Amino acid sequence: MSAHDLEARCALREEDARARELAQREFDKPVVLVAGAGTGKTTALVARVIAWSLGPGWQRAAASARSARDERGDRIAVRVLRGVVAITFTEMAASEMSERIGAALLALETGEWPLGLRESAALPGPEALRER
């Protein structure tokens, strides 16, 4: 591999990393990721859902609580997850995404870090993550 090829590959990897980072930090406008088969689009989308649900989405849902009863974590979680829309092309892909989101939430609950979720995602500290 030539030095030019190596440089081009490194540039592409950096661009990919920036796109994945953006998907987990930018929630004020839509984000479009375009990639071929097997490149990690589902992983990136699952990480985006998790980052939204436990970060800005949680904060917005908690702020809109109307009563002390609505401030309970389980009620906030329901409001957050009801507001998530993820579109795929097949039922099989939707099922896989749902399973991965559940697995990522379970991993966080047990103190593990889910695949694809960046440490720099806009998330609260470890204690708040487990609680949410």
Side-chain angles (χ1 to χ4, degrees):
M1 178 179 303
S2 72
H4 178 7
D5 290 342
L6 186 58
E7 213 173 281
R9 275 190 172 187
C10 286
L12 286 173
R13 283 194 176 110
E14 287 175 19
E15 185 179 343
D16 179 72
R18 282 191 303 275
R20 290 172 191 273
E21 178 85 25
L22 179 70
Q24 294 177 42
R25 296 187 66 77
E26 178 60 60
F27 298 108
D28 292 332
K29 59 186 174 191
V31 172
V32 176
L33 298 176
V34 179
T39 58
K41 292 181 301 295
T42 301
T43 299
L45 185 53
V46 166
R48 180 171 172 78
V49 168
I50 297 300
W52 163 258
S53 298
L54 299 175
W58 187 279
Q59 293 166 348
R60 288 180 191 179
S64 70
R66 293 187 187 112
S67 67
R69 182 174 172 233
D70 286 344
E71 290 176 4
R72 288 187 6 213
D74 58 336
R75 296 212 179 244
I76 293 171
V78 167
R79 271 199 310 279
V80 170
L81 293 173
R82 282 189 178 156
V84 171
V85 176
I87 300 171
T88 65
F89 290 105
T90 66
E91 286 185 32
M92 189 167 124
S95 176
E96 179 180 348
M97 193 178 321
S98 178
E99 287 177 21
R100 286 194 195 185
I101 290 169
L105 290 170
L106 182 60
L108 283 169
E109 188 176 34
T110 61
E112 297 175 43
W113 201 253
L115 177 68
L117 188 61
R118 305 254 182 217
E119 295 279 344
S120 59
L123 295 173
E127 198 66 29
L129 271 180
R130 276 191 296 279
E131 189 176 304
R132 290 178 182 185

